[in-house]
Amino acid sequence: LDKLDGVVGLGAVKTYVRQLMAQLQLQAQRREAGLPVSTDASLHLIFVGNPGTGKTTMARIIAQMLKVLRVLRMGHLVEVDRAALVAGYAGQTAIKTKQVVESALGGLLFVDEAYAIATDERDTFGKEALDALVKLTEDYRDDLVVVLAGYPDEMRRLCAANPGLRSRFATTINFADYSADELMAIAEGMRGREGM
């Protein structure tokens, strides 16, 4: 929570993270008390926003939070992009995607610029990577959280290209651009940390 509070701006995102934390704590308490707990909710997320709006920073905080709450075993963050998931030869992409997903088990897989995975309907390697990723998010849903991040318009196109994404990534979090005052607060924080 200190790390979350230390992030400048992102009020709506912080509120969502606090609500998620409260929900997960309630589920843990119900489980300990022997009460039924709904396990249908997916923790996979879509982050949309411009570059530099805190998407990767927030993914790191969420990964650590999920480890503290014992939702994730290790709580590490594996950050990838299209190049890490898509191979150059037919039949190799699904294998490469699976290896990346398996390296993130117990933690959070952060796919930056996720819209670039499958650029259009002719991109067979990208489509193979996306299909494999969607399937693996379901196969490992109890041991992995996946965050797909990118620009708003491009992420809408990606979700339209693969109907399975919407059901597995039900929550989209919008990262607003920083205001001038928030940018100044970030700059002041950096200046102070660097002893300037």
Side-chain angles (χ1 to χ4, degrees), residues 114-131:
Y115 55 84
I117 296 173
T119 53
D120 58 39
E121 61 275 351
R122 295 179 313 241
D123 183 3
T124 56
F125 293 155
K127 185 178 180 329
E128 181 183 359
L130 189 58
D131 291 346

Side-chain angles (χ1 to χ4, degrees), residues 13-136:
V13 177
K14 290 178 182 178
T15 298
Y16 172 80
V17 172
R18 282 191 182 89
Q19 289 171 343
L20 176 63
M21 189 171 185
Q23 177 186 2
L24 293 171
Q25 286 174 322
L26 177 62
Q27 286 179 353
Q29 291 168 349
R30 288 181 61 86
R31 199 174 290 114
E32 287 173 12
L35 297 169
V37 177
S38 172
T39 56
D40 294 341
S42 169
L43 294 177
H44 305 309
L45 302 165
I46 295 176
F47 287 179
V48 296
N50 288 322
T53 52
K55 296 183 294 293
T56 307
T57 299
M58 200 53 65
R60 283 190 188 103
I61 291 170
I62 290 172
Q64 292 171 355
M65 178 194 80
L66 294 174
K67 180 180 190 267
V68 168
L69 293 174
R70 296 189 183 119
V71 174
L72 293 175
R73 292 180 288 124
M74 298 164 60
H76 64 296
L77 180 118
V78 175
E79 185 178 347
V80 299
D81 58 10
R82 175 187 165 95
L85 301 172
V86 178
Y89 302 100
Q92 295 299 308
T93 293
I95 295 167
K96 189 174 183 182
T97 301
K98 186 172 185 193
Q99 290 171 340
V100 168
V101 168
E102 287 176 345
S103 75
L105 290 179
L108 190 146
L109 177 64
F110 182 79
V111 184
D112 200 13
E113 298 181 359
Y115 55 84
I117 296 173
T119 53
D120 58 39
E121 61 275 351
R122 295 179 313 241
D123 183 3
T124 56
F125 293 155
K127 185 178 180 329
E128 181 183 359
L130 189 58
D131 291 346
L133 182 63
V134 168
K135 181 186 182 312
L136 292 166

Side-chain angles (χ1 to χ4, degrees), residues 115-186:
Y115 55 84
I117 296 173
T119 53
D120 58 39
E121 61 275 351
R122 295 179 313 241
D123 183 3
T124 56
F125 293 155
K127 185 178 180 329
E128 181 183 359
L130 189 58
D131 291 346
L133 182 63
V134 168
K135 181 186 182 312
L136 292 166
T137 59
E138 188 61 28
D139 291 350
Y140 295 118
R141 69 180 289 167
D142 295 330
D143 197 29
L144 175 72
V145 172
V146 179
V147 174
L148 304 179
Y151 308 136
D153 292 339
E154 288 84 347
M155 292 304 289
R156 276 192 287 278
R157 279 196 292 278
L158 178 69
C159 290
N162 187 311
L165 281 177
R166 271 291 158 220
S167 62
R168 288 168 181 85
F169 293 82
T171 304
T172 298
I173 301 176
N174 293 298
F175 284 71
D177 291 340
Y178 289 108
S179 68
D181 288 340
E182 290 169 339
L183 288 172
M184 187 55 112
I186 291 169

